[in-house]
PDB file of all heavy atoms in Angstrom:
ATOM      1  N   ASP A 965      -8.618  16.250   1.775  1.00  0.00           N
ATOM      2  CA  ASP A 965      -9.000  17.190   2.830  1.00  0.00           C
ATOM      3  C   ASP A 965      -8.351  16.806   4.155  1.00  0.00           C
ATOM      4  O   ASP A 965      -7.925  17.672   4.921  1.00  0.00           O
ATOM      5  CB  ASP A 965     -10.521  17.226   3.000  1.00  0.00           C
ATOM      6  CG  ASP A 965     -11.224  17.926   1.844  1.00  0.00           C
ATOM      7  OD1 ASP A 965     -10.648  18.877   1.283  1.00  0.00           O
ATOM      8  OD2 ASP A 965     -12.352  17.516   1.509  1.00  0.00           O
ATOM      9  N   GLY A 966      -8.273  15.504   4.438  1.00  0.00           N
ATOM     10  CA  GLY A 966      -7.623  15.036   5.657  1.00  0.00           C
ATOM     11  C   GLY A 966      -6.140  15.368   5.670  1.00  0.00           C
ATOM     12  O   GLY A 966      -5.581  15.747   6.712  1.00  0.00           O
ATOM     13  N   MET A 967      -5.489  15.227   4.506  1.00  0.00           N
ATOM     14  CA  MET A 967      -4.073  15.593   4.411  1.00  0.00           C
ATOM     15  C   MET A 967      -3.896  17.087   4.646  1.00  0.00           C
ATOM     16  O   MET A 967      -2.975  17.502   5.365  1.00  0.00           O
ATOM     17  CB  MET A 967      -3.513  15.198   3.044  1.00  0.00           C
ATOM     18  CG  MET A 967      -3.326  13.724   2.880  1.00  0.00           C
ATOM     19  SD  MET A 967      -2.655  13.369   1.220  1.00  0.00           S
ATOM     20  CE  MET A 967      -2.056  11.717   1.482  1.00  0.00           C
ATOM     21  N   ALA A 968      -4.778  17.901   4.068  1.00  0.00           N
ATOM     22  CA  ALA A 968      -4.697  19.355   4.265  1.00  0.00           C
ATOM     23  C   ALA A 968      -4.872  19.709   5.737  1.00  0.00           C
ATOM     24  O   ALA A 968      -4.190  20.598   6.262  1.00  0.00           O
ATOM     25  CB  ALA A 968      -5.745  20.066   3.410  1.00  0.00           C
ATOM     26  N   GLU A 969      -5.764  18.998   6.429  1.00  0.00           N
ATOM     27  CA  GLU A 969      -5.975  19.237   7.857  1.00  0.00           C
ATOM     28  C   GLU A 969      -4.716  18.915   8.659  1.00  0.00           C
ATOM     29  O   GLU A 969      -4.314  19.685   9.541  1.00  0.00           O
ATOM     30  CB  GLU A 969      -7.149  18.391   8.353  1.00  0.00           C
ATOM     31  CG  GLU A 969      -7.506  18.624   9.795  1.00  0.00           C
ATOM     32  CD  GLU A 969      -8.689  17.766  10.223  1.00  0.00           C
ATOM     33  OE1 GLU A 969      -9.624  17.583   9.432  1.00  0.00           O
ATOM     34  OE2 GLU A 969      -8.645  17.273  11.365  1.00  0.00           O
ATOM     35  N   VAL A 970      -4.073  17.790   8.360  1.00  0.00           N
ATOM     36  CA  VAL A 970      -2.841  17.420   9.056  1.00  0.00           C
ATOM     37  C   VAL A 970      -1.747  18.456   8.769  1.00  0.00           C
ATOM     38  O   VAL A 970      -1.054  18.908   9.687  1.00  0.00           O
ATOM     39  CB  VAL A 970      -2.376  16.001   8.649  1.00  0.00           C
ATOM     40  CG1 VAL A 970      -0.975  15.698   9.179  1.00  0.00           C
ATOM     41  CG2 VAL A 970      -3.368  14.950   9.128  1.00  0.00           C
ATOM     42  N   ILE A 971      -1.602  18.836   7.509  1.00  0.00           N
ATOM     43  CA  ILE A 971      -0.587  19.835   7.147  1.00  0.00           C
ATOM     44  C   ILE A 971      -0.860  21.142   7.881  1.00  0.00           C
ATOM     45  O   ILE A 971       0.063  21.777   8.414  1.00  0.00           O
ATOM     46  CB  ILE A 971      -0.539  20.041   5.619  1.00  0.00           C
ATOM     47  CG1 ILE A 971      -0.035  18.774   4.928  1.00  0.00           C
ATOM     48  CG2 ILE A 971       0.333  21.247   5.265  1.00  0.00           C
ATOM     49  CD1 ILE A 971      -0.211  18.784   3.410  1.00  0.00           C
ATOM     50  N   SER A 972      -2.125  21.558   7.930  1.00  0.00           N
ATOM     51  CA  SER A 972      -2.492  22.796   8.633  1.00  0.00           C
ATOM     52  C   SER A 972      -2.057  22.752  10.092  1.00  0.00           C
ATOM     53  O   SER A 972      -1.479  23.711  10.607  1.00  0.00           O
ATOM     54  CB  SER A 972      -4.009  23.022   8.570  1.00  0.00           C
ATOM     55  OG  SER A 972      -4.430  23.232   7.254  1.00  0.00           O
ATOM     56  N   ARG A 973      -2.341  21.645  10.739  1.00  0.00           N
ATOM     57  CA  ARG A 973      -1.970  21.519  12.159  1.00  0.00           C
ATOM     58  C   ARG A 973      -0.467  21.535  12.357  1.00  0.00           C
ATOM     59  O   ARG A 973       0.047  22.148  13.282  1.00  0.00           O
ATOM     60  CB  ARG A 973      -2.566  20.245  12.744  1.00  0.00           C
ATOM     61  CG  ARG A 973      -4.055  20.361  12.954  1.00  0.00           C
ATOM     62  CD  ARG A 973      -4.609  19.160  13.657  1.00  0.00           C
ATOM     63  NE  ARG A 973      -6.046  19.293  13.805  1.00  0.00           N
ATOM     64  CZ  ARG A 973      -6.857  18.286  13.981  1.00  0.00           C
ATOM     65  NH1 ARG A 973      -6.387  17.053  14.059  1.00  0.00           N
ATOM     66  NH2 ARG A 973      -8.142  18.486  14.109  1.00  0.00           N
ATOM     67  N   GLU A 974       0.247  20.838  11.491  1.00  0.00           N
ATOM     68  CA  GLU A 974       1.701  20.746  11.658  1.00  0.00           C
ATOM     69  C   GLU A 974       2.415  22.041  11.287  1.00  0.00           C
ATOM     70  O   GLU A 974       3.422  22.389  11.897  1.00  0.00           O
ATOM     71  CB  GLU A 974       2.256  19.565  10.856  1.00  0.00           C
ATOM     72  CG  GLU A 974       1.813  18.213  11.381  1.00  0.00           C
ATOM     73  CD  GLU A 974       2.178  17.969  12.838  1.00  0.00           C
ATOM     74  OE1 GLU A 974       3.295  18.337  13.266  1.00  0.00           O
ATOM     75  OE2 GLU A 974       1.328  17.418  13.568  1.00  0.00           O
ATOM     76  N   LEU A 975       1.910  22.758  10.275  1.00  0.00           N
ATOM     77  CA  LEU A 975       2.548  24.013   9.873  1.00  0.00           C
ATOM     78  C   LEU A 975       2.058  25.203  10.695  1.00  0.00           C
ATOM     79  O   LEU A 975       2.677  26.259  10.692  1.00  0.00           O
ATOM     80  CB  LEU A 975       2.314  24.292   8.382  1.00  0.00           C
ATOM     81  CG  LEU A 975       2.947  23.315   7.401  1.00  0.00           C
ATOM     82  CD1 LEU A 975       2.696  23.770   5.966  1.00  0.00           C
ATOM     83  CD2 LEU A 975       4.441  23.143   7.645  1.00  0.00           C
ATOM     84  N   GLY A 976       0.904  25.040  11.349  1.00  0.00           N
ATOM     85  CA  GLY A 976       0.380  26.116  12.179  1.00  0.00           C
ATOM     86  C   GLY A 976      -0.372  27.189  11.426  1.00  0.00           C
ATOM     87  O   GLY A 976      -0.582  28.284  11.948  1.00  0.00           O
ATOM     88  N   HIS A 977      -0.765  26.919  10.198  1.00  0.00           N
ATOM     89  CA  HIS A 977      -1.604  27.861   9.443  1.00  0.00           C
ATOM     90  C   HIS A 977      -2.490  27.075   8.485  1.00  0.00           C
ATOM     91  O   HIS A 977      -2.170  25.940   8.127  1.00  0.00           O
ATOM     92  CB  HIS A 977      -0.773  28.915   8.714  1.00  0.00           C
ATOM     93  CG  HIS A 977       0.196  28.360   7.730  1.00  0.00           C
ATOM     94  ND1 HIS A 977      -0.149  27.970   6.462  1.00  0.00           N
ATOM     95  CD2 HIS A 977       1.525  28.125   7.841  1.00  0.00           C
ATOM     96  CE1 HIS A 977       0.917  27.508   5.831  1.00  0.00           C
ATOM     97  NE2 HIS A 977       1.949  27.597   6.644  1.00  0.00           N
ATOM     98  N   PRO A 978      -3.604  27.666   8.087  1.00  0.00           N
ATOM     99  CA  PRO A 978      -4.568  26.921   7.262  1.00  0.00           C
ATOM    100  C   PRO A 978      -4.015  26.529   5.887  1.00  0.00           C
ATOM    101  O   PRO A 978      -3.353  27.327   5.225  1.00  0.00           O
ATOM    102  CB  PRO A 978      -5.747  27.880   7.091  1.00  0.00           C
ATOM    103  CG  PRO A 978      -5.512  29.004   8.022  1.00  0.00           C
ATOM    104  CD  PRO A 978      -4.060  29.002   8.404  1.00  0.00           C
ATOM    105  N   VAL A 979      -4.278  25.303   5.514  1.00  0.00           N
ATOM    106  CA  VAL A 979      -3.977  24.785   4.182  1.00  0.00           C
ATOM    107  C   VAL A 979      -5.251  24.122   3.696  1.00  0.00           C
ATOM    108  O   VAL A 979      -5.881  23.370   4.442  1.00  0.00           O
ATOM    109  CB  VAL A 979      -2.823  23.755   4.222  1.00  0.00           C
ATOM    110  CG1 VAL A 979      -2.628  23.093   2.868  1.00  0.00           C
ATOM    111  CG2 VAL A 979      -1.537  24.415   4.692  1.00  0.00           C
ATOM    112  N   ALA A 980      -5.659  24.418   2.477  1.00  0.00           N
ATOM    113  CA  ALA A 980      -6.906  23.851   1.952  1.00  0.00           C
ATOM    114  C   ALA A 980      -6.625  23.059   0.688  1.00  0.00           C
ATOM    115  O   ALA A 980      -5.678  23.347  -0.050  1.00  0.00           O
ATOM    116  CB  ALA A 980      -7.909  24.957   1.652  1.00  0.00           C
ATOM    117  N   TYR A 981      -7.445  22.059   0.461  1.00  0.00           N
ATOM    118  CA  TYR A 981      -7.376  21.259  -0.766  1.00  0.00           C
ATOM    119  C   TYR A 981      -8.534  21.680  -1.664  1.00  0.00           C
ATOM    120  O   TYR A 981      -9.669  21.790  -1.209  1.00  0.00           O
ATOM    121  CB  TYR A 981      -7.485  19.770  -0.433  1.00  0.00           C
ATOM    122  CG  TYR A 981      -7.770  18.906  -1.647  1.00  0.00           C
ATOM    123  CD1 TYR A 981      -6.769  18.608  -2.550  1.00  0.00           C
ATOM    124  CD2 TYR A 981      -9.046  18.410  -1.883  1.00  0.00           C
ATOM    125  CE1 TYR A 981      -7.019  17.835  -3.665  1.00  0.00           C
ATOM    126  CE2 TYR A 981      -9.311  17.625  -2.998  1.00  0.00           C
ATOM    127  CZ  TYR A 981      -8.290  17.343  -3.879  1.00  0.00           C
ATOM    128  OH  TYR A 981      -8.551  16.577  -4.983  1.00  0.00           O
ATOM    129  N   CYS A1036       5.038  15.016   7.926  1.00  0.00           N
ATOM    130  CA  CYS A1036       4.838  16.473   7.916  1.00  0.00           C
ATOM    131  C   CYS A1036       5.699  17.154   8.974  1.00  0.00           C
ATOM    132  O   CYS A1036       6.322  18.181   8.707  1.00  0.00           O
ATOM    133  CB  CYS A1036       3.365  16.812   8.153  1.00  0.00           C
ATOM    134  SG  CYS A1036       2.290  16.448   6.755  1.00  0.00           S
ATOM    135  N   LEU A1040       8.313  17.971   6.075  1.00  0.00           N
ATOM    136  CA  LEU A1040       7.652  19.131   5.465  1.00  0.00           C
ATOM    137  C   LEU A1040       7.850  20.407   6.275  1.00  0.00           C
ATOM    138  O   LEU A1040       8.230  21.440   5.724  1.00  0.00           O
ATOM    139  CB  LEU A1040       6.164  18.845   5.280  1.00  0.00           C
ATOM    140  CG  LEU A1040       5.353  19.970   4.636  1.00  0.00           C
ATOM    141  CD1 LEU A1040       5.849  20.233   3.217  1.00  0.00           C
ATOM    142  CD2 LEU A1040       3.868  19.629   4.638  1.00  0.00           C
ATOM    143  N   LYS A1041       7.603  20.347   7.574  1.00  0.00           N
ATOM    144  CA  LYS A1041       7.716  21.562   8.393  1.00  0.00           C
ATOM    145  C   LYS A1041       9.134  22.139   8.377  1.00  0.00           C
ATOM    146  O   LYS A1041       9.291  23.334   8.142  1.00  0.00           O
ATOM    147  CB  LYS A1041       7.248  21.313   9.821  1.00  0.00           C
ATOM    148  CG  LYS A1041       7.295  22.595  10.669  1.00  0.00           C
ATOM    149  CD  LYS A1041       6.472  22.506  11.896  1.00  0.00           C
ATOM    150  CE  LYS A1041       6.494  23.739  12.768  1.00  0.00           C
ATOM    151  NZ  LYS A1041       6.732  25.014  12.208  1.00  0.00           N
ATOM    152  N   PRO A1042      10.187  21.333   8.576  1.00  0.00           N
ATOM    153  CA  PRO A1042      11.533  21.919   8.488  1.00  0.00           C
ATOM    154  C   PRO A1042      11.823  22.530   7.114  1.00  0.00           C
ATOM    155  O   PRO A1042      12.465  23.583   7.022  1.00  0.00           O
ATOM    156  CB  PRO A1042      12.464  20.735   8.779  1.00  0.00           C
ATOM    157  CG  PRO A1042      11.629  19.800   9.598  1.00  0.00           C
ATOM    158  CD  PRO A1042      10.237  19.945   9.060  1.00  0.00           C
ATOM    159  N   ALA A1043      11.347  21.886   6.052  1.00  0.00           N
ATOM    160  CA  ALA A1043      11.562  22.441   4.711  1.00  0.00           C
ATOM    161  C   ALA A1043      10.800  23.752   4.536  1.00  0.00           C
ATOM    162  O   ALA A1043      11.335  24.721   3.978  1.00  0.00           O
ATOM    163  CB  ALA A1043      11.126  21.424   3.645  1.00  0.00           C
ATOM    164  N   ALA A1044       9.562  23.797   5.016  1.00  0.00           N
ATOM    165  CA  ALA A1044       8.775  25.039   4.924  1.00  0.00           C
ATOM    166  C   ALA A1044       9.403  26.139   5.767  1.00  0.00           C
ATOM    167  O   ALA A1044       9.484  27.294   5.331  1.00  0.00           O
ATOM    168  CB  ALA A1044       7.346  24.763   5.370  1.00  0.00           C
ATOM    169  N   ASP A1045       9.858  25.785   6.971  1.00  0.00           N
ATOM    170  CA  ASP A1045      10.514  26.782   7.835  1.00  0.00           C
ATOM    171  C   ASP A1045      11.782  27.326   7.193  1.00  0.00           C
ATOM    172  O   ASP A1045      12.043  28.520   7.245  1.00  0.00           O
ATOM    173  CB  ASP A1045      10.843  26.169   9.210  1.00  0.00           C
ATOM    174  CG  ASP A1045       9.597  25.920  10.056  1.00  0.00           C
ATOM    175  OD1 ASP A1045       8.497  26.421   9.698  1.00  0.00           O
ATOM    176  OD2 ASP A1045       9.714  25.166  11.049  1.00  0.00           O
ATOM    177  N   ALA A1046      12.571  26.456   6.576  1.00  0.00           N
ATOM    178  CA  ALA A1046      13.804  26.891   5.905  1.00  0.00           C
ATOM    179  C   ALA A1046      13.500  27.797   4.718  1.00  0.00           C
ATOM    180  O   ALA A1046      14.222  28.752   4.453  1.00  0.00           O
ATOM    181  CB  ALA A1046      14.613  25.678   5.455  1.00  0.00           C
ATOM    182  N   HIS A1047      12.397  27.516   4.055  1.00  0.00           N
ATOM    183  CA  HIS A1047      12.008  28.305   2.875  1.00  0.00           C
ATOM    184  C   HIS A1047      11.557  29.703   3.282  1.00  0.00           C
ATOM    185  O   HIS A1047      11.774  30.665   2.548  1.00  0.00           O
ATOM    186  CB  HIS A1047      10.912  27.588   2.097  1.00  0.00           C
ATOM    187  CG  HIS A1047      10.495  28.302   0.855  1.00  0.00           C
ATOM    188  ND1 HIS A1047      11.279  28.362  -0.265  1.00  0.00           N
ATOM    189  CD2 HIS A1047       9.370  29.003   0.566  1.00  0.00           C
ATOM    190  CE1 HIS A1047      10.662  29.048  -1.206  1.00  0.00           C
ATOM    191  NE2 HIS A1047       9.500  29.447  -0.713  1.00  0.00           N
ATOM    192  N   THR A1048      10.911  29.825   4.436  1.00  0.00           N
ATOM    193  CA  THR A1048      10.405  31.133   4.871  1.00  0.00           C
ATOM    194  C   THR A1048      11.413  31.927   5.664  1.00  0.00           C
ATOM    195  O   THR A1048      11.184  33.081   5.987  1.00  0.00           O
ATOM    196  CB  THR A1048       9.117  30.969   5.716  1.00  0.00           C
ATOM    197  OG1 THR A1048       9.385  30.126   6.825  1.00  0.00           O
ATOM    198  CG2 THR A1048       7.988  30.387   4.885  1.00  0.00           C
TER     199      THR A1048
END
Side-chain angles (χ1 to χ4, degrees):
D965 288 327
M967 287 180 163
E969 184 179 322
V970 170
I971 293 169
S972 295
R973 287 186 182 158
E974 293 303 320
L975 295 183
H977 60 81
V979 173
Y981 166 76
C1036 288
L1040 181 63
K1041 183 162 180 28
D1045 289 348
H1047 182 72
T1048 57

